[in-house]
Amino acid sequence: MLTIKNLHAKIGDKEILKGINLEVKPGEIHAIMGPNGSGKSTLSAVLAGKEEYEVTDGEVLFNGKNLLDLAPEERAGEGIFLAFQYPVEIPGVSMTNFMRTAVNEIRQYRGQDALEAKDFLKLSKEKQALVELDKKLAGRSVNEGFSGGEKKRNEIYQMAMLEPTLSVLDETDSGLDIDALRIVADGVNKLRNENNAYIVITHYQRLLDYIVPDFVHVLYNGKIVKSGDKNLALELEERGYDHIKAEVTA
Amino acid sequence: MENTLEKTDISQRLLGKALGQKPALPLSENTIEKAQSVLKKFGIPEVKNERYKYANIKNILNKTVLETEGISARENYPIADSLSVLNGKNMLVTVNGKVVKQEISEAFHIGTIQDYLAYEPQISFDEADSMQALALLTAQDGFHLKIGRDTTEPLIWLNITDTKTPSYYATVNCIESAAGSAAEIIEIRIGRNAASFTNQYTLVKTHEHATLRMAATDENLHSFSGVFTVHGIQKKGSTFSHSILGTGASFMRQNISAEHEDENCHTELNGFYAVDGERHADFQTVVKHMFPNCTSDEMYKGIAAGKGKAIFNGKVYVARDAQKTNAYQSNKNILLSDEALIRSKPELEIYADDVKCSHGSTTGQTDTKSLFYLRSRGIREKEAQKMLMLAFAGDVLDRISNESLREYFSSVAENKLMQLI
């Protein structure tokens, strides 16, 4: 589904990704962990198509297409979804208008007819319930006045609405209390199936108790320096990153 | 060659006419003298005139206009079909300042400005503004609109400029809201045939506890130019609001002033503008808080693209006796190109000590984070930009209380934004 080969990217003059290799297949959950500044968020931004980042080398194939050639909206149409670490507040754009536009733009991209208003509302209600998102929030502007937990649940609600095949969750657990974390993780687990895949970026092992990964990768200094199964996350939780840094520099 | 000569002389000819001939309107001797001395002092505004620093009227007149009087291109004027959304409402149609049609309920009464002046020949105007003096001295026509208590539907004023040759014309109107009345007036400025220049002065009086909401759009003025002045005089407990949509005219200067003559008045001034090409939209507002316990709220927002220019100069004046004044003013702008220009000058002049006043001005670009967020959800860049711009305009458009008119204004703004992005 996703093949990342020798990906290098920089912002300004600063090289952040220094040769990432990663293969994600349908049905898999990959966790990417690593200390601050290792390039985790940059990787998610490059996958979603944020223009500030310049890819200097390597390639990213998504279902055989060169992802790096596509605009952010085309990537979404192809089935990529980024759950933002810091979802943006957009005053004056209502949640409903935003989501209806997004759903129908993506349907159009995929050659499907636009959803009728009543079908959209039905779908929206169903997906809101999935992450226990307060109905009142639908009447508000995008993320405006949402609590930290509501913003993260709103990300998962959008993911549920847009039915991506590859979702990148960028530190979705940061700023969440334990109950919100469980709601978000339950949402992801319900949406999970053999056709879609997840890249879960996190600092802590905690989230991975709820969203159990098939693979855990350690990103350090712009490279994946270690990969393993879920036990690698437990090991990191116990021993920290220092021994890995030591191994890499040794 | 002959044409060029005439063109360069137009402002001179206009000045000669205003100062040398008896005005067509029955103004008092005193008013004529005052207006003439203001006009002598300031002339037809050009860059030296602080008030019109960025709006070189003399230059625009000389470049665009051939005649000092507007002669209509036709006798009967059909109402444009495109405005059928406004059907069923009270309708007033003026052509070059002259009332040609009225379909209004009994709550409204329309007379001529001549009749009004015969009664009240001392019409007040701003003695620092020579365009207002020029309007009084050169206007041929105008109306006096009286609004009674029992209005239900808004009044649509189709304000049509229709001239055979590019001309200057002036018009003076007076709108009076009776005590306790509540009404909404929508002015739709329309330009037809030769691109002309309008100098319009409208005096608005809101009597005790009256509410008058006015909104205007220049979308249909196209290549036309004009200075449009509204001067509001508010009596006790009255509310006056004015919303302007500046999306069409090639040059528009909108002057709005409101003066409180008693306590508990509320003034609300709103504007949304979008300038592209080489268009110029210019807003000058003055709110004079002269009495205690009054409020004012101003919000102007705009977008400049291409080589478009937009100017906002808003002044809030609070007199020493105007305690407990609550005045808010905000101007926000988005620049879409390197050559677009915004000039923003919010001003507060406060002499009272127990007041709440604030003002703010921002000018920036489209928020890239919001744009990326929308695009990452599959929304195409243009559509995402449109959503953000409409949200930006929404604050202003939401202040138009009548639903169908709000929708009409929103669709005008939306169409304009689609051209910009």
Side-chain angles (χ1 to χ4, degrees):
Chain A
M1 174 187 268
L2 179 79
T3 309
I4 302 176
K5 282 185 201 160
N6 191 33
L7 182 66
H8 286 69
K10 61 174 189 177
I11 185 162
D13 288 334
K14 198 176 171 199
E15 188 172 40
I16 299 176
L17 301 183
K18 299 170 183 171
I20 302 259
N21 292 291
L22 184 67
E23 177 85 35
V24 179
K25 295 193 173 77
E28 292 178 351
I29 294 186
H30 290 247
I32 293 183
M33 302 181 74
N36 283 330
S38 58
K40 301 188 300 291
S41 286
T42 299
L43 177 62
S44 68
V46 169
L47 290 177
K50 203 167 187 183
E51 279 156 3
E52 290 94 308
Y53 295 90
E54 191 191 333
V55 173
T56 50
D57 200 4
E59 65 174 353
V60 181
L61 295 174
F62 184 63
N63 295 326
K65 283 190 184 167
N66 184 356
L67 196 69
L68 301 176
D69 281 349
L70 303 177
E73 56 269 32
E74 293 170 324
R75 299 181 194 203
E78 291 292 334
I80 296 221
F81 181 90
L82 170 64
F84 284 64
Q85 184 180 2
Y86 303 109
V88 187
E89 295 192 13
I90 312 179
V93 174
S94 80
M95 266 309 297
T96 308
N97 181 28
F98 160 58
M99 215 58 252
R100 194 167 45 215
T101 308
V103 165
N104 285 332
E105 288 263 306
I106 283 189
R107 289 181 68 88
Q108 193 186 340
Y109 185 90
R110 294 174 186 167
Q112 298 164 319
D113 289 336
L115 275 189
E116 300 265 338
K118 70 173 190 337
D119 295 332
F120 169 81
L121 284 177
K122 193 174 158 240
L123 183 72
S124 181
K125 263 188 197 159
E126 202 182 296
K127 304 302 185 192
Q128 278 166 22
L130 188 76
V131 285
E132 298 174 33
L133 196 65
D134 193 332
K135 265 180 269 165
K136 276 181 286 181
L137 298 180
R140 292 223 212 127
S141 293
V142 177
N143 291 320
E144 194 181 38
F146 286 33
S147 70
E150 284 168 343
K151 281 181 183 166
K152 294 299 174 79
R153 278 186 277 159
N154 189 21
E155 294 293 290
I156 305 303
Y157 153 74
Q158 292 172 39
M159 183 175 93
M161 290 295 288
L162 301 178
E163 298 176 343
T165 46
L166 176 67
S167 300
V168 182
L169 311 187
D170 187 7
E171 297 199 23
T172 298
D173 51 341
S174 70
L176 286 187
D177 62 34
I178 203 76
D179 293 326
L181 185 72
R182 193 176 292 128
I183 292 168
V184 163
D186 283 351
V188 170
N189 287 329
K190 281 178 198 158
L191 294 168
R192 188 180 176 185
N193 61 44
E194 69 272 17
N195 298 318
N196 60 25
Y198 293 85
I199 294 176
V200 180
I201 291 170
T202 181
H203 267 296
Y204 305 107
Q205 196 270 334
R206 192 179 62 162
L207 178 67
L208 305 179
D209 283 341
Y210 299 98
I211 304 174
V212 183
D214 302 300
F215 302 95
V216 174
H217 309 278
V218 179
L219 191 61
Y220 175 61
N221 199 16
K223 282 182 178 173
I224 289 176
V225 292
K226 196 165 188 178
S227 296
D229 61 9
K230 63 182 178 184
N231 293 317
L232 176 58
L234 291 168
E235 187 191 324
L236 288 171
E237 185 78 0
E238 208 175 298
R239 298 176 61 190
Y241 291 113
D242 283 347
H243 76 285
I244 289 183
K245 290 181 193 173
E247 273 173 38
V248 173
T249 43
Chain B
M1 208 49 214
E2 221 177 271
N3 255 356
T4 327
L5 250 182
E6 259 187 283
K7 269 186 180 175
T8 43
D9 281 340
I10 193 78
S11 61
Q12 209 51 44
R13 274 167 54 204
L14 207 49
L15 209 53
K17 187 176 168 180
L19 297 175
Q21 290 176 16
K22 191 174 160 26
L25 299 183
L27 304 165
S28 72
E29 283 305 318
N30 184 22
T31 306
I32 297 173
E33 258 172 52
K34 242 194 260 172
Q36 287 185 337
S37 81
V38 168
L39 191 56
K40 273 181 203 154
K41 187 172 168 192
F42 296 106
I44 293 188
E46 50 186 322
V47 283
K48 282 180 283 179
N49 186 324
E50 180 63 27
R51 180 81 68 108
Y52 284 86
K53 207 166 160 183
Y54 305 114
N56 192 334
I57 305 293
K58 192 173 178 176
N59 193 25
I60 290 159
L61 282 169
N62 286 343
K63 267 194 347 208
T64 59
V65 166
L66 295 173
E67 300 296 334
T68 59
E69 200 175 311
I71 309 293
S72 178
R74 51 181 138 175
E75 286 296 308
N76 288 313
Y77 209 92
I79 293 168
D81 292 338
S82 59
L83 299 166
S84 60
V85 278
L86 307 166
N87 277 351
K89 308 217 162 40
N90 298 291
M91 189 77 76
L92 166 68
V93 184
T94 60
V95 174
N96 304 343
K98 194 182 172 80
V99 174
V100 297
K101 186 170 180 172
Q102 45 174 303
E103 283 170 13
I104 48 173
S105 74
E106 282 174 0
F108 295 96
H109 178 267
I110 292 169
T112 64
I113 191 69
Q114 286 87 348
D115 287 347
Y116 170 80
L117 289 169
Y119 225 63
E120 301 234 5
Q122 305 265 20
I123 189 164
S124 63
F125 68 100
D126 185 338
E127 290 171 29
D129 187 342
S130 54
M131 286 309 283
Q132 295 178 28
L134 186 67
L136 290 171
L137 294 169
T138 55
Q140 299 285 331
D141 276 302
F143 61 78
H144 175 216
L145 170 67
K146 283 204 277 191
I147 302 166
R149 275 168 172 260
D150 302 312
T151 61
T152 47
E153 285 293 321
L155 173 83
I156 313 296
W157 168 22
L158 297 186
N159 183 3
I160 300 169
T161 296
D162 182 2
T163 48
K164 284 180 194 164
T165 45
S167 313
Y168 160 94
Y169 80 90
T171 168
V172 174
N173 306 306
C174 175
I175 298 172
E176 258 184 288
S177 281
S181 66
E184 192 157 12
I185 297 176
I186 315 303
E187 178 190 355
I188 299 177
R189 299 170 186 163
I190 299 170
R192 288 288 152 87
N193 294 310
S196 286
F197 187 104
T198 307
N199 184 13
Q200 174 174 302
Y201 177 60
T202 305
L203 178 66
V204 176
K205 293 180 175 177
T206 49
H207 290 278
E208 279 81 3
H209 304 288
T211 296
L212 178 62
R213 298 187 168 276
M214 293 179 74
T217 161
D218 74 346
E219 173 60 19
N220 300 295
L221 271 180
H222 308 298
S223 53
F224 289 58
S225 307
V227 173
F228 297 84
T229 302
V230 174
H231 177 51
I233 295 174
Q234 295 187 244
K235 302 286 186 191
K236 190 171 192 160
S238 66
T239 294
F240 169 61
S241 87
H242 190 280
S243 303
I244 173 87
L245 190 61
T247 56
S250 99
F251 169 92
M252 177 179 63
R253 166 64 174 255
Q254 180 76 55
N255 298 312
I256 306 209
S257 56
E259 189 168 341
H260 301 155
E261 292 200 337
D262 211 325
E263 294 193 34
N264 299 109
C265 293
H266 177 62
T267 308
E268 192 179 298
L269 305 179
N270 310 306
F272 176 73
Y273 41 93
V275 287
D276 54 354
E278 300 203 358
R279 296 180 42 242
H280 177 120
D282 192 326
F283 304 86
Q284 169 124 8
T285 72
V286 181
V287 180
K288 280 191 176 170
H289 285 271
M290 308 302 288
F291 286 84
N293 301 312
C294 295
T295 55
S296 66
D297 189 353
E298 266 182 82
M299 187 192 281
Y300 284 78
K301 293 177 96 171
I303 298 170
K307 290 182 180 176
K309 284 195 191 97
I311 289 112
F312 172 79
N313 185 359
K315 186 171 185 174
V316 175
Y317 175 90
V318 183
R320 209 170 64 177
D321 295 337
Q323 300 294 3
K324 306 283 180 197
T325 288
N326 200 335
Y328 176 76
Q329 187 193 63
S330 150
N331 177 225
K332 290 182 180 167
N333 301 288
I334 292 177
L335 283 165
L336 290 184
S337 79
D338 291 345
E339 288 181 287
L341 182 73
I342 298 281
R343 295 185 190 276
S344 175
K345 189 181 174 194
E347 287 178 84
L348 285 175
E349 193 176 330
I350 304 172
Y351 297 97
D353 54 12
D354 184 15
V355 299
K356 275 188 206 155
C357 296
S358 71
H359 65 176
S361 167
T362 60
T363 297
Q365 289 163 329
T366 327
D367 180 28
T368 51
K369 279 186 183 162
S370 303
L371 194 62
F372 178 67
Y373 191 77
L374 296 176
R375 292 179 70 191
S376 78
R377 297 320 185 224
I379 301 170
R380 277 165 297 174
E381 189 174 9
K382 278 207 165 189
E383 184 65 28
Q385 267 182 337
K386 189 184 89 178
M387 287 173 87
L388 293 176
M389 301 269 175
L390 272 180
F392 178 72
D395 289 347
V396 173
L397 296 168
D398 286 350
R399 290 183 166 204
I400 297 169
S401 47
N402 183 283
E403 200 183 329
S404 63
L405 294 168
R406 186 171 61 243
E407 278 169 18
Y408 171 68
F409 271 58
S410 298
S411 70
V412 169
E414 191 172 337
N415 290 340
K416 185 70 204 181
L417 292 175
M418 287 312 280
Q419 293 167 21
L420 254 57
I421 52 183

